[in-house]
Protein backbone atom coordinates (compact mmCIF):
# COMPACT_ATOMS: atom_id res chain seq x y z
CA UNK A 1 0.00 0.00 0.00
CA UNK A 2 1.38 3.42 -0.98
CA UNK A 3 1.89 6.22 1.54
CA UNK A 4 1.21 9.71 0.17
CA UNK A 5 3.76 12.42 0.87
CA UNK A 6 1.83 15.61 1.59
CA UNK A 7 3.08 19.18 1.89
CA UNK A 8 2.93 19.73 5.67
CA UNK A 9 1.67 22.80 7.48
CA UNK A 10 4.73 24.01 9.40
CA UNK A 11 3.21 27.10 10.98
CA UNK A 12 -0.16 28.45 12.00
CA UNK A 13 -0.40 30.89 9.09
CA UNK A 14 1.28 28.70 6.44
CA UNK A 15 -0.89 28.16 3.35
CA UNK A 16 1.77 27.09 0.85
CA UNK A 17 5.46 26.32 0.59
CA UNK A 18 8.26 26.05 -1.94
CA UNK A 19 9.56 22.54 -2.59
CA UNK A 20 13.26 23.48 -2.56
CA UNK A 21 14.73 20.06 -3.33
CA UNK A 22 14.26 16.35 -2.98
CA UNK A 23 16.95 14.78 -0.80
CA UNK A 24 16.29 11.31 -2.27
CA UNK A 25 16.12 10.66 -6.01
CA UNK A 26 13.05 9.25 -7.78
CA UNK A 27 13.04 5.48 -7.34
CA UNK A 28 15.41 5.72 -4.38
CA UNK A 29 15.03 3.78 -1.15
CA UNK A 30 13.86 5.75 1.89
CA UNK A 31 13.58 4.88 5.56
CA UNK A 32 10.93 6.28 7.86
CA UNK A 33 12.26 9.30 9.76
CA UNK A 34 15.08 10.12 7.34
CA UNK A 35 15.16 13.56 5.64
CA UNK A 36 13.14 13.37 2.42
CA UNK A 37 12.83 16.90 1.03
CA UNK A 38 13.62 20.53 1.83
CA UNK A 39 10.66 22.89 2.19
CA UNK A 40 10.90 26.68 2.22
CA UNK A 41 8.21 28.70 3.99
CA UNK A 42 8.00 32.41 4.71
CA UNK A 43 10.40 32.22 7.61
CA UNK A 44 12.70 29.23 7.15
CA UNK A 45 13.86 26.18 5.23
CA UNK A 46 13.23 22.84 6.89
CA UNK A 47 13.94 19.24 6.04
CA UNK A 48 10.83 17.06 6.13
CA UNK A 49 11.17 13.44 7.18
CA UNK A 50 9.84 10.41 5.35
CA UNK A 51 6.53 9.17 6.82
CA UNK A 52 7.26 5.53 5.88
CA UNK A 53 9.92 3.21 4.47
CA UNK A 54 9.98 2.04 0.86
CA UNK A 55 10.68 3.34 -2.64
CA UNK A 56 10.11 7.02 -3.49
CA UNK A 57 7.94 8.01 -6.45
CA UNK A 58 8.23 11.78 -7.07
CA UNK A 59 5.16 13.61 -8.38
CA UNK A 60 5.92 17.30 -7.64
CA UNK A 61 8.93 19.08 -9.09
CA UNK A 62 11.34 21.19 -7.01
CA UNK A 63 11.36 24.94 -7.47
CA UNK A 64 7.57 25.16 -7.45
CA UNK A 65 5.20 26.45 -4.76
CA UNK A 66 2.43 24.10 -3.62
CA UNK A 67 -0.54 24.44 -1.28
CA UNK A 68 -0.52 22.72 2.12
CA UNK A 69 -1.90 19.19 1.69
CA UNK A 70 -0.74 18.80 -1.94
CA UNK A 71 0.50 15.29 -2.77
CA UNK A 72 4.20 15.67 -3.57
CA UNK A 73 4.97 11.99 -4.06
CA UNK A 74 4.39 8.55 -2.65
CA UNK A 75 6.34 5.81 -0.96
CA UNK A 76 5.56 2.28 -2.12
Amino acid sequence: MATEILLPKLGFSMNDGLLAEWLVSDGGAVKEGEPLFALESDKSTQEVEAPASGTLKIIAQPGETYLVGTVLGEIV
Side-chain angles (χ1 to χ4, degrees), residues 42-63:
D42 292 339
K43 299 178 183 178
S44 67
T45 300
Q46 291 186 296
E47 290 183 349
V48 178
E49 297 177 351
S53 297
T55 303
L56 175 64
K57 179 182 175 194
I58 292 176
I59 296 171
Q61 297 305 310

Side-chain angles (χ1 to χ4, degrees), residues 10 20 26 30 33 38-39 48 52-54 69 73 76:
L10 300 178
D26 191 36
V30 297
L39 179 63
V48 178
S53 297
V76 292

Side-chain angles (χ1 to χ4, degrees), residues 5-11 13-23 36-48 60-70 72:
I5 301 163
L6 305 176
L7 186 94
K9 186 169 189 160
L10 300 178
S13 63
M14 182 178 167
N15 295 316
D16 57 27
L18 174 74
L19 176 59
E21 68 176 312
W22 286 99
L23 304 175
L36 186 59
F37 61 92
L39 179 63
E40 290 183 21
S41 63
D42 292 339
K43 299 178 183 178
S44 67
T45 300
Q46 291 186 296
E47 290 183 349
V48 178
Q61 297 305 310
E64 298 289 329
T65 299
Y66 299 97
L67 295 174
V68 168
T70 299
L72 303 176

